[in-house]
Amino acid sequence: MNHQLSFQQVDVFTDVRFKGNPVAVVLDGNSLSTDEMQAVANWTNLSETTFVCKPTDPRADYKLRIFTPHNELPFAGHPTIGSAFAVLKHGLKPKTEGGLVQECGSGLVSILIDGDKLFFTLPESSIEDIPSDQLVQLANALGVPLNSVNASATIDVGAVWITIQLSDAYEVRSLKPDMKKLSAWIPRGVTGVTVFGLDSENKESDLEVRSFAPNEGVEEDPVCGSGNGCVATLVRRLDLIKQSNYVASQGNCIGRNGKVEVRFQDNDKILIGGYAVTCVEGMLNIDIE
């Protein structure tokens, strides 16, 4: 049986169409099975595709299921922003003025509506050291000497990223990773490797970020919300930036030029957000058994 489902493709962390990071949003996912959702995500071939469903928790405005071309994720950053933007554009009225509550595999995620920008509250993180032998191999796969690694950790914010600080933004932008080697040293359950470096020369941003997830079918994620959440966790832990907010630049190396805004709260919460803009809007035709 053919079903038509409302659909949007939203560019996230930008207010310029065809920049930032796109997410495909299916606005009525209740009629689809998990296999059908995965098939759609494989077809869109974007880093993530989401399905908006009815919440099971009465505190939530909606439930979101998030898929890469290969797997379902419990949480991801830019799909959270993009899906929130899409449901508001589609006419959803928030249960609470000024914000949304998203239910997902990681639990409930609060989303702040701040004018034309949206910010999600980063889920509580856990941090683990990277074994020295693994770090050596990761540096080799990235094509940098080990002494370029200023800090590193595996950080879980719902999505898990190996997070590495390099000497500066220039080194980050210059990376040409060996994806086959990198893939071999990303453990099962880890989304990929996010690399960052402080930028003292860019007036528009404070650091440069790149995220690589070859095992998820995404060699380089244009602008990654959860990866930036892991970076923010490490930045705060090591007190790398003194002010209470900063802007990260990501996607420059692949022509996407996204900007991620990070706000550190007094209650130890971290907000990640920015702009979003719809590029495609219409109906998705799906044959449902």
Side-chain angles (χ1 to χ4, degrees), residues 166-177:
L166 295 182
S167 56
D168 56 31
Y170 176 79
E171 189 165 30
V172 172
R173 287 190 288 266
S174 300
L175 288 176
K176 295 181 179 179

Side-chain angles (χ1 to χ4, degrees), residues 71-285:
N71 300 296
E72 184 171 7
L73 300 176
F75 171 78
H78 98 272
T80 293
I81 297 291
S83 299
F85 183 85
V87 299
L88 290 170
K89 191 174 189 298
H90 194 60
L92 178 71
K93 301 300 182 185
K95 292 181 178 180
T96 304
E97 185 177 355
L100 293 165
V101 177
Q102 171 186 291
E103 179 184 348
C104 60
S106 291
L108 298 180
V109 177
S110 297
I111 301 166
L112 170 69
I113 303 170
D114 184 8
D116 293 332
K117 299 177 184 178
L118 295 166
F119 291 82
F120 65 83
T121 301
L122 190 70
E124 187 174 346
S125 63
S126 62
I127 304 174
E128 295 182 0
D129 292 335
I130 300 173
S132 57
D133 60 335
Q134 183 185 7
L135 189 59
V136 168
Q137 295 297 333
L138 288 167
N140 177 260
L142 290 168
V144 299
L146 190 60
N147 61 11
S148 288
V149 177
N150 288 4
S152 64
T154 297
I155 302 176
D156 184 348
V157 293
V160 184
W161 288 91
I162 294 167
T163 309
I164 296 174
Q165 181 195 7
L166 295 182
S167 56
D168 56 31
Y170 176 79
E171 189 165 30
V172 172
R173 287 190 288 266
S174 300
L175 288 176
K176 295 181 179 179
D178 183 320
M179 290 297 172
K180 186 175 181 179
K181 288 182 179 179
L182 198 63
S183 175
W185 286 93
I186 298 173
R188 183 180 296 274
V190 174
T191 304
V193 177
T194 288
V195 182
F196 73 99
L198 298 179
D199 194 338
S200 59
E201 298 180 358
N202 191 336
K203 294 181 180 180
E204 294 184 354
S205 61
D206 300 286
L207 51 83
E208 187 79 24
V209 177
R210 294 178 73 182
S211 300
F212 308 104
N215 293 346
E216 298 293 339
V218 184
E219 287 198 349
E220 181 161 2
D221 196 340
V223 196
C224 181
S226 61
N228 272 277
C230 293
V231 169
T233 300
L234 199 56
V235 165
R236 170 176 261 183
R237 186 188 197 197
L238 301 177
D239 198 25
L240 298 177
I241 291 179
K242 303 305 178 183
Q243 64 263 31
S244 61
N245 56 73
Y246 71 83
V247 176
S249 180
Q250 189 173 4
N252 292 297
C253 295
I254 51 176
R256 301 303 281 273
N257 305 325
K259 294 291 185 293
V260 180
E261 297 186 34
V262 176
R263 299 177 181 176
F264 296 127
Q265 305 289 287
D266 291 337
N267 59 2
D268 290 334
K269 297 294 186 182
I270 298 174
L271 300 184
I272 307 288
Y275 291 106
V277 60
T278 299
C279 289
V280 179
E281 188 170 9
M283 306 301 292
L284 191 66
N285 292 304

